[in-house]
Amino acid sequence: MARHCGAMATRIQARLNTVCSSRWLQDWHLSLGLSGARLTHAGAAERLQREYDAVVIGAGHNGLVAAAYLQQAGVRTAVLEKRHVLGGAAVTEEIVPGFKFSRASYLLSLLRPQIYAELELQRHGLRVLPRDPYSFTPLLEDRSPPRSLLLGHNMAQNQQQIAQFSQKDAQAYPEYEAFMGGMVSALDPLLDSPPVDTAALGKGSLLQQLRNLRALWPLLQAAGHQQPAQVQQCSSHTTSPPPGLALGQQLPRYYEVLTAPISKILDQWFESEPLKATLATDAVIGAMTSPHTPGSGYVLLHHVMGELEGRRGAWGYVAGGMGALSQAIAHAATARGAHIFAEKAVCHVLLGRDGRAQGVALQDGTEVRSKLVLSNASPQITFLELIPQKQLPKDFVQRIRQVDTRSPVTKINVLHTSQLREHPPPASGIHRGYPRTPLQQAHDRALHPLSAGPRTGPTGLPRCVPLHPVHPVRAGRWSVLGRAGQKCVCRQGDILTPPDLERIFGLPGGNIFHGGMSLDQLYFARPAPSYSGYRSPIPGLYLCGSGAHPGGGVMGAAGRNAAQVALKDFRSL
Ligand SMILES: Cc1cc2nc3c(=O)[nH]c(=O)nc-3n(C[C@H](O)[C@H](O)[C@H](O)COP(=O)(O)OP(=O)(O)OC[C@H]3O[C@@H](n4cnc5c(N)ncnc54)[C@H](O)[C@@H]3O)c2cc1C
């Protein structure tokens, strides 16, 4: 049977190669496996047409999600990606011959649960392996054997682990988890709809005004006026708030978590440094912040607001690497009829005399007309590179220029020698926790490289850390330093510093979220005040990537929400 399938696949591949010169289709076919149905859909995208209802710039996971929803609603959609692979920062690449890596993002949790179900991602090949245990914090101490803190999904085992350092913290941990879980449930409704358009409130006919008021509903839900059914739903998670607890009563405490430094919040709950340091790591991921920075509480929340198989805050590895998720979304989109192309770099958005977006021009000179243009590229690429500046309001351009895109992230992909020997499935990454003070020190050094102290890592390990690498002294010249100050040479893998992340993936400043997730750059203000609802100053042009609400991570929410807004406008054209 396997041989028969193999022969059939070879025949189909040969046929495809003769009818289609697109590298995309060949890659696509090669990565698909043997499903005839999928090949049929992939075949449909053989030729780029000159006109679609909607064009999506960029095939990051958000662009693919947007395309799937638009096409599902009957809007003929094409996705144009400049790289040779789909997925943006959610991609699998063979960076060492014979070995595939999740080259940028590597863990899944944040993807909105509706997207799994509505796009039938499992049917389209998505398989996620839970990450349990999920964090390991080794301690360097003068005792033998040295201790470590291992946390996973079993609460009793977590409590035992924490009790090594503090009985009191072990007791408090379940309550802390429930508190955070309750907060995440409260914020949940805000993630799946555009931020309230305050300018629209009070405008138009009475009917229109009443309709606009509906936009306040998610905000009211978050503030605590939840339907009992929803509270019930939230409480099915192990970390849900106690039944009957009105979320609204917690608002002052939730407000504090959102705005305070995470160190302050963790000090209120716990006394042991290893636990606080482990939890604080989530508050600085991707952010140029330290645990003592106000607003770092929100960053932590952003990293625990996902779920996997109904378990709040759980993370997992995608079988086949993160690119397999993007492939599953792309399958869902093409199965609905969308056309997806790689190696199609958009160089500008076409504008009509009335200033409306009318399609895009590609770098090879091709023009593709469309009524809607959705951009999955960052706000900086979209508005500062693809649109003539004079077509945009000055204050809007200034806001986009002001977005803080500083990045502390360096991704190191290495092939472990055991992988060379044993060929296990693709590995995804190493997660290390740090004592809190070194987290702060790393942040300080990243900000003030010239006044940095000794450059050995806090744990004595080589200082090839994924967070807060040594800041570039001159733009474009980065060095990641080893323990003795020697440059880390990576023969079996690659080291991606912020300039690399910008050059390869188009992430502005190397920022993994298309712009910091600080409080001044969220909700109403993402990417700019008055333009947080996916629409832009250019009618017909929408932002559908991480630079829009609710921000970065492999969430799909921006793609899904933007598609809904664009669809509404399309229907009234
Ligand atoms: C090193 C690293 C580790 C991370 N780890 C995780 C993790 O473990 N879990 C997690 O949830 N998140 C993680 N993230 C964050 C997450 O990957 C990103 O926030 C998310 O993937 C962004 O998705 P997006 O679709 O909004 O945009 P992107 O993935 O940035 O996609 C934008 C796409 O647009 C394309 N494009 C840009 N300009 C043009 C143009 N002119 N023409 C055509 N195409 C264009 C780009 O090539 C790209 O494919 C990580 C990110 C990085 C970099």
Side-chain angles (χ1 to χ4, degrees):
M1 176 67 182
R3 244 190 24 227
H4 173 71
C5 290
M8 194 168 76
T10 313
R11 278 203 306 277
I12 296 170
Q13 171 77 71
R15 215 171 63 220
L16 279 171
N17 288 349
T18 54
V19 296
C20 171
S21 60
S22 155
R23 176 169 170 193
W24 166 75
L25 190 50
Q26 291 171 26
D27 286 351
W28 180 260
H29 170 65
L30 287 171
S31 62
L32 271 176
L34 300 168
S35 160
R38 288 176 195 165
L39 284 172
T40 308
H41 291 300
E46 193 176 313
R47 282 178 54 182
L48 176 63
Q49 296 171 12
R50 290 302 164 94
E51 198 175 331
Y52 290 87
D53 294 329
V55 161
V56 179
I57 304 170
H61 80 286
N62 270 315
L64 295 168
V65 164
Y69 279 100
L70 287 170
Q71 187 70 47
Q72 178 158 292
V75 178
R76 290 178 312 115
T77 304
V79 183
L80 305 170
E81 165 58 44
K82 74 171 184 190
R83 292 199 72 212
H84 64 286
V85 276
L86 307 181
V91 75
T92 302
E93 287 188 62
E94 189 172 319
I95 50 181
V96 176
F99 293 88
K100 292 185 175 171
F101 291 69
S102 289
R103 196 175 184 195
S105 61
Y106 59 101
L107 285 169
L108 188 65
S109 170
L110 304 176
L111 191 74
R112 303 303 295 148
Q114 306 87 319
I115 295 176
Y116 286 97
E118 290 162 357
L119 300 187
E120 306 168 289
L121 294 185
Q122 224 175 342
R123 189 168 78 76
H124 290 291
L126 178 65
R127 204 157 61 85
V128 187
L129 315 165
R131 181 197 194 212
D132 184 23
Y134 54 75
S135 101
F136 174 62
T137 308
L139 266 75
L140 261 196
E141 49 186 5
D142 289 333
R143 54 190 287 167
S144 183
R147 293 173 301 173
S148 60
L149 177 63
L150 188 70
L151 297 179
H153 292 153
N154 184 315
M155 181 55 81
Q157 281 173 11
N158 287 345
Q159 286 184 285
Q160 263 176 19
Q161 284 281 317
I162 297 167
Q164 298 176 82
F165 307 100
S166 160
Q167 283 290 350
K168 188 171 155 268
D169 288 1
Q171 300 254 309
Y173 191 63
E175 204 190 322
Y176 165 82
E177 286 271 284
F179 172 75
M180 285 296 184
M183 184 159 178
V184 164
S185 300
L187 291 179
D188 222 35
L190 296 182
L191 303 178
D192 301 315
S193 51
V196 175
D197 181 2
T198 47
L201 295 175
K203 274 195 190 156
S205 64
L206 187 62
L207 186 64
Q208 190 59 47
Q209 288 187 37
L210 286 172
R211 279 204 190 116
N212 290 340
L213 279 179
R214 277 193 316 207
L216 287 174
W217 179 238
L219 207 56
L220 292 175
Q221 280 179 301
H225 297 276
Q226 287 202 327
Q227 297 291 325
Q230 279 164 318
V231 174
Q232 185 77 36
Q233 194 188 342
C234 299
S235 67
S236 67
H237 299 291
T238 44
T239 54
S240 58
L245 180 70
L247 293 173
Q249 287 170 9
Q250 295 278 13
L251 262 181
R253 292 184 73 197
Y254 290 163
Y255 173 81
E256 192 184 20
V257 176
L258 286 179
T259 54
I262 196 61
S263 55
K264 177 180 170 192
I265 303 297
L266 292 174
D267 284 342
Q268 289 165 3
W269 284 92
F270 304 116
E271 61 185 13
S272 71
E273 283 303 316
L275 178 62
K276 287 191 277 187
T278 301
L279 298 175
T281 307
D282 275 339
V284 298
I285 289 180
M288 200 62 144
T289 56
S290 90
H292 303 307
T293 310
S296 48
Y298 180 80
V299 182
L300 179 133
L301 212 62
H302 192 77
H303 285 93
V304 298
M305 61 175 46
E307 65 173 68
L308 207 61
E309 294 169 354
R311 186 185 287 275
R312 178 73 78 197
W315 290 77
Y317 300 106
V318 177
M322 280 302 253
L325 167 71
S326 302
Q327 291 287 357
I329 303 170
H331 283 155
T334 52
R336 285 157 175 77
H339 292 185
I340 304 174
F341 301 89
E343 295 184 318
K344 297 281 180 210
V346 170
C347 67
H348 63 265
V349 175
L350 299 170
L351 300 179
R353 287 201 177 160
D354 56 358
R356 266 195 80 82
Q358 289 192 331
V360 297
L362 303 184
Q363 232 159 39
D364 63 11
T366 312
E367 291 191 353
V368 184
R369 302 269 155 186
S370 64
K371 296 191 178 79
L372 306 174
V373 177
L374 285 83
S375 179
N376 182 200
S378 68
Q380 293 75 5
I381 291 178
T382 307
F383 300 115
L384 305 180
E385 293 180 21
L386 303 183
I387 300 278
Q389 301 299 279
K390 60 179 190 302
Q391 300 288 341
L392 294 165
K394 268 197 184 131
D395 61 334
F396 177 79
V397 173
Q398 193 195 11
R399 295 282 191 172
I400 298 298
R401 285 192 200 284
Q402 278 181 334
V403 172
D404 183 355
T405 57
R406 286 172 308 155
S407 170
V409 173
T410 286
K411 175 81 190 289
I412 302 173
N413 294 306
V414 281
L415 192 63
H416 197 271
T417 44
S418 69
Q419 286 174 294
L420 280 170
R421 278 199 307 271
E422 295 156 22
H423 279 242
S428 287
I430 302 166
H431 186 200
R432 282 171 44 197
Y434 298 87
R436 260 190 332 158
T437 303
L439 268 183
Q440 171 70 43
Q441 283 169 359
H443 167 256
D444 293 346
R445 278 189 209 148
L447 284 180
H448 310 292
L450 298 178
S451 60
R455 284 179 172 170
T456 45
T459 57
L461 288 165
R463 199 176 176 284
C464 294
V465 295
L467 308 169
H468 303 121
V470 178
H471 197 269
V473 177
R474 267 185 279 150
R477 289 194 60 204
W478 275 73
S479 52
V480 178
L481 300 177
R483 183 139 61 119
Q486 78 276 29
K487 207 166 176 199
C488 279
V489 183
C490 208
R491 289 199 192 91
Q492 299 281 344
D494 62 359
I495 297 176
L496 302 174
T497 61
D500 300 319
L501 294 173
E502 179 156 25
R503 180 176 46 81
I504 298 168
F505 300 103
L507 298 166
N511 189 293
I512 70 170
F513 301 137
H514 289 195
M517 300 284 293
S518 51
L519 290 179
D520 61 321
Q521 297 188 166
L522 289 176
Y523 199 66
F524 288 128
R526 195 170 185 88
S530 307
Y531 293 101
S532 58
Y534 307 100
R535 295 183 183 96
S536 75
I538 305 287
L541 175 65
Y542 305 80
L543 200 62
C544 70
S546 296
H549 170 76
V554 183
M555 271 189 131
R560 182 173 177 270
N561 295 348
Q564 282 166 0
V565 170
L567 192 57
K568 202 168 144 201
D569 292 353
F570 182 75
R571 288 191 173 132
S572 63
L573 279 177

